[in-house]
Amino acid sequence: MAVSGFEGFEKRLELHFFGDDPAIFPLGMRKLEFESLEQVLEAVQCTVVSAVGNSYFDAYVLSESSLFVYPTKIIIKTCGTTQLLKSILPLIQYAHHLGLTLSSCRYTRGSFIFPKSQPFPHTSFKDEVTYLQDTIPSNLCFRKASIMPSKSSSHSWHVFTANDSAHTLPHLPYHHDNELLFTMEICMTELDPILARKFFRPPEDGKSGDSAGKEMTELTGINEINPDALICDFAFDPCGYSMNGMDGDWYSTIHVTPEDGFSYASFECVGSVNDNIAHVLRKVVKIFRPGTMSISTTCNGFGNDMWTQMASAVEPLGMKCRSFAMDQFPAAGTVVFQTFSGRRKSV
């Protein structure tokens, strides 16, 4: 393991808003000027490198991960030494100008590979929680912070949620035709070195980040995870890759730090409990063949069969479920955290 390197593990922030004027909702936070978003990202210390939108939301690939803007929801996911939590206050202020008020906040992350390199307030989970408690408004009175453990001291899942009393379970995606939806966050380390090389660009290839990213998407099979998704991808120089996928109002995102010694990849998506989750998981594991992997799933009101489906999907690929933790968050659903590791097999 390298003494220091690029921090792949992301910090993730999800904010939900509400307003009394129904005329706000068709666009809501999507009305924010691009210059306003740039100012928010400047506080976080990252920039936009590519963007795409549809009739439901806007998706931005950042220099460090991704930003999704819906009418009443914003998701920011940033890696490296970004200061993600510093986006909260400006976003609250910009929302206020649009007639919107913060109704819920969720912050999640894994365990940093290089924790001592993180700037305040990300110096520890305790510091992050203190900062969150001091920053979010008092109407978000249902609050909980939790570190969900695993059998490995280097893998735990950190969750903070805060919700107001009037709006319950805002974090969970809307039901589609009575289907119950979930958010799944996968973090992978110790990537197969041969597969990780696909996320390096040839020296002086003369291509733009967009065109090189499109090549990586097709070369690695990322475009086959969800063939229906519109993909906005970007390849960094000399290495690294990010993509956002749009499928109606569902998003997906992948970020890759391929350097040997601290290799990392993440995959996040929204899905239905009735969908073929096994197909998605198997595709992701085959693309990266990680030595270790964690899956965090957020949902409300579904049974244990989903967790066993996940474990049985990746077990034939050499990944064994090593730990399982579940925690409930007031007015914010249930989070399940699973970790996997095992010897690599030919897939």
Side-chain angles (χ1 to χ4, degrees):
M1 178 64 70
V3 175
S4 186
F6 187 80
E7 180 59 66
F9 273 92
E10 300 97 346
K11 316 161 183 92
R12 182 187 186 275
L13 180 68
E14 183 171 334
L15 302 175
H16 288 245
F17 302 87
F18 74 95
D20 295 327
D21 183 359
I24 296 167
F25 296 117
L27 285 175
M29 294 297 284
R30 296 182 74 185
K31 283 189 192 174
L32 276 180
E33 297 286 340
F34 183 66
E35 291 74 18
S36 300
L37 287 176
E38 284 184 311
Q39 288 180 9
V40 172
L41 296 173
E42 188 178 343
V44 175
Q45 298 186 339
C46 60
T47 57
V48 173
V49 298
S50 194
V52 68
N54 64 14
S55 57
Y56 297 99
F57 68 104
D58 301 308
Y60 301 86
V61 175
L62 306 179
S63 54
E64 280 86 6
S65 303
S66 291
L67 163 67
F68 301 98
V69 181
Y70 289 79
T72 58
K73 174 175 71 177
I74 282 188
I75 298 168
I76 312 185
K77 189 169 185 170
T78 64
C79 54
T81 54
T82 48
Q83 296 168 280
L84 176 61
L85 297 183
K86 292 192 175 179
S87 66
I88 297 174
L89 273 181
L91 284 171
I92 291 174
Q93 290 163 358
Y94 286 130
H96 179 72
H97 293 313
L98 295 171
L100 293 166
T101 304
L102 186 68
S103 61
S104 74
C105 167
R106 177 189 294 270
Y107 174 69
T108 57
R109 68 167 174 86
S111 298
F112 295 128
I113 301 172
F114 307 109
K116 292 181 179 176
S117 300
Q118 289 297 316
F120 181 84
H122 300 287
T123 35
S124 70
F125 188 54
K126 182 180 178 182
D127 288 342
E128 290 170 322
V129 170
T130 300
Y131 187 91
L132 282 158
Q133 298 273 28
D134 293 344
T135 304
I136 58 177
S138 58
N139 65 300
L140 275 61
C141 53
F142 293 104
R143 303 181 181 193
K144 180 174 177 177
S146 176
I147 300 178
M148 302 179 69
S150 73
K151 289 182 178 177
S152 166
S153 59
S154 60
H155 279 275
S156 53
W157 193 246
H158 306 72
V159 184
F160 173 87
T161 63
N163 297 272
D164 69 13
S165 56
H167 305 82
T168 59
L169 297 172
H171 295 287
L172 305 179
Y174 300 112
H175 292 240
H176 283 227
D177 301 322
N178 295 317
E179 289 184 315
L180 192 59
L181 306 184
F182 63 87
T183 301
M184 179 168 65
E185 299 171 67
I186 304 177
C187 302
M188 296 166 279
T189 56
E190 302 166 42
L191 310 183
D192 181 290
I194 295 171
L195 297 176
R197 291 299 305 176
K198 295 180 180 181
F199 297 97
F200 282 79
R201 291 172 63 170
E204 300 178 18
D205 61 4
K207 294 173 182 167
S208 68
D210 297 285
S211 62
K214 182 175 173 59
E215 281 190 10
M216 285 183 186
T217 299
E218 294 173 356
L219 177 69
T220 57
I222 285 172
N223 57 324
E224 297 170 10
I225 297 174
N226 177 4
D228 297 327
L230 168 66
I231 292 178
C232 177
D233 36 24
F234 194 89
F236 297 90
D237 193 9
C239 65
Y241 168 89
S242 287
M243 80 72 128
N244 293 330
M246 311 180 92
D247 183 4
D249 62 347
W250 293 3
Y251 71 90
S252 59
T253 186
I254 290 176
H255 303 285
V256 186
T257 303
E259 292 97 325
D260 196 33
F262 50 93
S263 62
Y264 172 85
S266 67
F267 172 80
E268 177 179 337
C269 71
V270 174
S272 162
V273 295
N274 298 327
D275 282 350
N276 188 355
I277 304 161
H279 162 79
V280 172
L281 280 174
R282 279 196 289 264
K283 277 285 184 187
V284 171
V285 171
K286 285 180 180 181
I287 288 166
F288 298 105
R289 274 198 237 171
T292 59
M293 173 175 75
S294 70
I295 304 176
S296 172
T297 316
T298 303
C299 196
N300 183 50
F302 56 128
N304 290 336
D305 56 327
M306 186 172 171
W307 325 129
T308 52
Q309 274 182 47
M310 290 180 172
S312 58
V314 297
E315 198 164 346
L317 307 180
M319 302 298 292
K320 183 173 176 58
C321 186
R322 303 294 180 181
S323 68
F324 174 99
M326 180 185 287
D327 204 348
Q328 292 186 318
F329 294 81
T334 300
V335 176
V336 167
F337 177 59
Q338 296 168 280
T339 61
F340 300 81
S341 67
R343 65 185 182 87
R344 296 190 178 96
K345 291 184 178 180
S346 176
V347 291

